[in-house]
């Protein structure tokens, strides 16, 4: 292949006799790498020509950031996605979902080696999300560049399509564990309510009332323990409640409209 033609001793071509699986291969890359940064991407995606240049410059200028990513576009469409840029927003947004496009990340290798962080083989199909929450718990900062530096390819053969159900289940376990690290006492007996809130799946007025009570408890606990920036955290929770109320109103309006049209 092309990589065999590169005459540079820094470039290593690693070939296995059999497929080791993504997680094992990623961790092998962490162990084999000797440079300051680990830079990730998939074979079917496309990196912008200045991706490495911009990301390395960002990390060099922001020594407190351990992991960062970029915005990306979807090949064959005008669709683009950008994750939160600010490190505190990323820590908080992890309560809801991943905050990095995995194929776009750059990682300060020393930071994850020192904290003994690796991709978790128990987090199958959501190993990246698990690593980001582990990093956040270890007080490593995560951020994003706003630049669109990756082109992401969507196809029927990728894991997010083939194993969507398992990926969702694993992601829910990760987000619940991450929230429980900070607010475990408040989530006892309320894990389903919490997941429905952050997954924007509140559908009943009674559940919205319960979610409001939980949100108030989370705000009070955070104010006392100072886990997250109060203003950013409260704004995040208020946004979840607004989304829940909007969903309920729209569902209610749609159901009543259906009755009227019968």
């Amino acid at each position: 292949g092309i990589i065999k033609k590169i005459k540079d001793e820094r470039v290593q071509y690693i070939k296995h006799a059999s497929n080791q699986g993504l997680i094992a291969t990623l961790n092998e890359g962490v162990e084999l790498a000797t440079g300051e940064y680990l830079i990730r991407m998939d074979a079917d995606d496309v990196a912008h020509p200045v991706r490495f240049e911009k990301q390395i410059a960002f990390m060099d200028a922001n020594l407190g950031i351990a992991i960062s990513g970029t915005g990306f576009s979807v090949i064959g469409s005008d669709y683009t996605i950008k994750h939160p840029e600010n490190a505190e927003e990323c820590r908080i947004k992890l309560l809801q979902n991943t905050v990095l496009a995995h194929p776009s990340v750059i990682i300060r290798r020393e930071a994850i080696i020192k904290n003994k962080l690796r991709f978790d083989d128990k987090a199958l199909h959501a190993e990246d999300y698990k690593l980001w929450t582990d990093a956040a718990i270890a007080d490593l900062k995560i951020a994003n560049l706003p630049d669109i530096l990756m082109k992401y390819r969507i196809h029927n053969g990728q894991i997010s399509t083939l194993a969507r159900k398992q990926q969702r289940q694993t992601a829910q376990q990760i987000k619940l564990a991450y929230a429980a690290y900070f607010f475990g006492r408040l989530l006892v007996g309320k894990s389903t309510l919490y997941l429905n809130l952050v997954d924007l799946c509140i559908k009943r007025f009674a559940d919205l009332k319960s979610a409001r009570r939980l949100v108030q408890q989370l705000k009070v606990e955070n104010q006392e323990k100072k886990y997250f920036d109060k203003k950013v955290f409260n704004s995040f929770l208020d946004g979840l409640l607004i989304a829940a109320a909007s969903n309920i109103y729209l569902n209610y309006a749609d159901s009543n409209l259906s009755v009227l049209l019968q």
Side-chain angles (χ1 to χ4, degrees):
I2 295 174
I3 196 168
K4 292 182 179 180
K5 298 178 182 179
I6 299 176
K7 305 302 180 183
D8 188 322
E9 62 182 14
R10 295 171 299 178
V11 177
Q12 298 184 52
Y13 172 61
I14 310 298
K15 183 177 180 179
H16 297 121
S18 60
N19 191 334
Q20 305 297 301
L22 177 61
I23 296 175
T25 302
L26 289 171
N27 286 329
E28 182 181 16
V30 173
E31 301 299 335
L32 289 175
T34 58
E36 182 177 357
Y37 298 118
L38 303 170
I39 299 180
R40 167 90 171 91
M41 72 174 290
D42 290 318
D44 56 352
D45 298 330
V46 180
H48 192 282
V50 296
R51 176 199 166 190
F52 290 2
E53 178 184 346
K54 286 196 171 186
Q55 287 193 273
I56 291 172
F58 175 80
M59 297 294 280
D60 286 347
N62 296 274
L63 300 180
I65 301 298
I67 307 170
S68 68
T70 77
F72 66 94
S73 60
V74 175
I75 294 173
S77 77
D78 296 326
Y79 190 55
T80 61
I81 294 179
K82 293 183 180 182
H83 290 293
E85 298 173 36
N86 178 271
E88 185 63 12
E89 289 181 8
C90 285
R91 280 185 75 232
I92 293 170
K93 188 70 174 178
L94 279 170
L95 290 164
Q96 185 179 27
N97 211 331
T98 184
V99 294
L100 292 161
H102 193 188
S104 80
V105 298
I106 179 171
I107 301 172
R108 204 175 296 278
R109 183 174 178 272
E110 181 183 7
I112 64 169
I113 294 294
K114 181 178 179 181
N115 286 278
K116 299 179 180 179
L117 298 178
R118 296 295 186 275
F119 292 93
D120 190 342
D121 58 8
K122 297 183 183 65
L124 189 63
H125 307 317
E127 66 284 337
D128 53 332
Y129 186 19
K130 179 62 162 56
L131 182 59
W132 315 150
T133 58
D134 288 346
I137 288 171
D139 289 328
L140 297 181
K141 291 185 177 181
I142 297 170
N144 278 288
L145 281 76
D147 310 62
I148 304 296
L149 298 178
M150 284 291 301
K151 293 181 179 180
Y152 181 69
R153 193 181 306 276
I154 295 178
H155 56 83
N156 293 331
Q158 61 196 160
I159 291 298
S160 57
T161 300
L162 296 175
R164 187 180 302 276
K165 183 178 179 180
Q166 183 178 1
Q167 186 179 56
R168 173 177 168 77
Q169 291 175 342
T170 304
Q172 287 191 313
Q173 293 169 1
I174 294 167
K175 73 179 69 177
L176 188 59
Y178 181 61
Y181 176 81
F182 304 101
F183 305 109
R185 177 180 63 86
L186 297 178
L187 299 181
V188 174
K190 300 175 183 175
S191 58
T192 300
L193 175 64
Y194 174 78
L195 288 173
N196 284 339
L197 176 65
V198 295
D199 287 341
L200 308 180
C201 292
I202 299 288
K203 297 179 180 179
R204 303 187 308 165
F205 285 108
D207 292 335
L208 180 59
K209 290 179 66 175
S210 298
R212 283 173 175 162
R213 288 193 294 270
L214 177 58
V215 162
Q216 186 56 37
Q217 292 171 338
L218 292 171
K219 287 181 177 180
V220 171
E221 181 84 354
N222 183 64
Q223 184 169 344
E224 292 177 356
K225 302 295 180 61
K226 296 180 172 56
Y227 295 128
F228 302 105
D229 178 271
K230 176 183 174 181
K231 183 178 180 181
V232 181
F233 183 66
N234 288 358
S235 177
F236 166 73
L237 292 177
D238 289 341
L240 294 178
L241 286 178
I242 290 171
S246 297
N247 285 341
I248 290 173
Y249 173 79
L250 290 174
N251 288 335
Y252 178 78
D254 286 346
S255 62
N256 278 274
L257 179 59
S258 297
V259 171
L260 288 173
L261 291 176
Q262 287 179 357

